[in-house]
Amino acid sequence: MAETNNIEKTENDTAEADQVASVKAASGAMPSNAPGDGGLSRALNEGATGKGAELVGAEIYGTVLEKLKAKSVFMNALPAENNKPMKSGVLNVPVWGDGEFGDWYNEGELIASEESGLSTLELKAKKLGSRVGYTQEVSEDSSVDVQAEVTNKVIKDLSRKLDKAFLNGDGDIKTPKGIFKLATPAPITSAVTIEDIRTGIFDMIADDGNPSALFIAPDVFKAISGEKDEQKRYIIDPTAQGPMAGSLFGVPLYVSSHVPAKQVGIIDMSAVNVGLRRDLSIVIDPWTDRAKEITTVHVSGRFAGVAITDTKAVKVIAGK
């Protein structure tokens, strides 16, 4: 009997080792500081060794992060340097007041001291994540790579959650507060027109701003997208990349259902900051639910935001 048990144990260990090797060959290993449980935590503690889940390899990891940026209108518009690394769970961002510094002086005249007017905004990291499982039967019977399909779907859905929070989040205990909740809208007495947007853009430029993104509600975009100039050319340049819907007066235009209805945000994104406590980590876990023959794709990251460092950098037009 003992000999039989030993044979069964050897066969199980071999099958287990083959499964680990298969996952390792498909995904490799990627260091991460993400928290987890079961096989997930073993993977994070042991890398791609032992009986832990497997960390997705650098090539796949990089590809997925690019997909997140490609699907998120906010991340696409945000300058890379404004995604601030965080050394703790709190990001302290200096915020400027409305004053300007400097003046001309006579030779020999003492330069006057000026107060900076700086204040500090504290942003706390919030976790964004998903765990989605699929059965071994689905994986075996599918004609496509199920792991890739699930991962891509999770990234697409997380990009929407990120846009919802950073554009119009309530700032509750779980989610960041978005740009449209931080700004004070300028109400107008009619529906938003291209002329309203043009005026807003050039008002910001006249105030030494640099508008770099237009976030537009779908209903506004539908109303203005068909407008043409005297030469019968569309006023909105339809040339677009990724989530961009085109450009208007040289400013990239993004349409999102997370922009409040009838509103347009004219934003200088160089003054918008978010915190990055932990970039998205992706873990393939075939062990935690092994008894059910379920593999789980675990994706999570920690972000803090939004901080607007210059009050002149955001103009929101609210139509009627």
Side-chain angles (χ1 to χ4, degrees), residues 69 73-84 210 212-213 215 254 267-274:
K69 182 175 180 180
V73 297
F74 181 90
M75 294 300 289
N76 194 272
L78 184 73
E81 61 270 21
N82 287 26
N83 204 349
K84 306 293 187 184
N210 181 30
S212 58
F215 292 110
Y254 301 90
I267 317 292
D268 178 354
M269 293 298 287
S270 68
V272 176
N273 293 265
V274 300

Side-chain angles (χ1 to χ4, degrees), residues 26-306:
S27 59
M30 183 70 184
S32 172
N33 295 319
D37 54 73
L40 173 59
S41 59
R42 288 196 295 273
L44 297 169
N45 291 331
E46 304 172 18
T49 61
K51 297 182 179 180
E54 301 301 315
L55 300 173
V56 173
E59 181 178 349
I60 298 174
Y61 185 88
T63 301
V64 171
L65 291 182
E66 285 303 311
K67 287 180 178 178
L68 175 69
K69 182 175 180 180
K71 294 177 185 300
S72 164
V73 297
F74 181 90
M75 294 300 289
N76 194 272
L78 184 73
E81 61 270 21
N82 287 26
N83 204 349
K84 306 293 187 184
M86 299 171 65
K87 295 182 180 180
S88 69
V90 175
L91 178 70
N92 293 304
V93 182
V95 178
W96 293 103
D98 293 331
E100 294 184 354
F101 303 117
D103 205 347
W104 289 96
Y105 293 86
N106 292 320
E107 289 294 320
E109 184 181 358
L110 182 65
I111 297 175
S113 176
E114 300 175 89
E115 291 293 331
S116 70
L118 276 174
S119 59
T120 302
L121 178 63
E122 181 182 276
L123 301 176
K124 294 183 178 180
K126 308 291 178 72
K127 183 164 64 176
L128 177 68
S130 178
R131 291 184 63 174
V132 179
Y134 58 89
T135 65
Q136 184 172 337
E137 288 86 352
V138 168
S139 180
E140 291 171 346
D141 296 342
S142 178
S143 301
V144 299
D145 185 341
V146 173
Q147 177 180 312
E149 287 291 314
V150 172
T151 303
N152 288 338
K153 179 66 166 64
V154 169
I155 292 299
K156 181 178 180 181
D157 290 350
L158 290 185
S159 73
R160 290 172 177 166
K161 295 291 194 307
L162 189 149
D163 282 343
K164 182 178 181 179
F166 285 163
L167 288 175
N168 200 34
D170 291 324
D172 58 23
I173 192 170
K174 289 185 178 181
T175 59
K177 195 169 188 176
I179 289 177
F180 283 84
K181 289 288 172 60
L182 291 167
T184 301
I188 58 176
T189 58
S190 60
V192 177
T193 65
I194 284 184
E195 179 60 22
D196 294 321
I197 299 171
R198 186 195 70 81
T199 301
I201 289 173
F202 287 101
D203 283 349
M204 181 178 286
I205 293 173
D207 208 14
D208 296 324
N210 181 30
S212 58
L214 297 173
F215 292 110
I216 296 184
D219 59 337
V220 177
F221 182 70
K222 181 179 180 181
I224 68 174
S225 59
E227 293 195 29
K228 298 180 181 181
D229 61 19
E230 293 178 354
Q231 283 74 42
K232 305 298 182 182
R233 298 171 301 190
Y234 286 107
I235 297 176
I236 294 179
D237 181 356
T239 305
Q241 293 181 337
M244 280 179 56
S247 63
L248 185 58
F249 304 110
V251 182
L253 185 155
Y254 301 90
V255 180
S256 173
S257 61
H258 303 305
V259 175
K262 303 179 181 180
Q263 293 192 19
V264 173
I266 304 168
I267 317 292
D268 178 354
M269 293 298 287
S270 68
V272 176
N273 293 265
V274 300
L276 177 63
R277 179 54 178 147
R278 172 168 46 81
D279 220 331
L280 286 178
S281 59
I282 306 155
V283 178
I284 309 303
D285 179 8
W287 297 107
T288 300
D289 293 321
R290 186 184 177 200
K292 301 177 183 177
E293 295 185 324
I294 292 175
T295 295
T296 301
V297 176
H298 180 113
V299 184
S300 68
R302 296 176 66 200
F303 303 89
V306 173

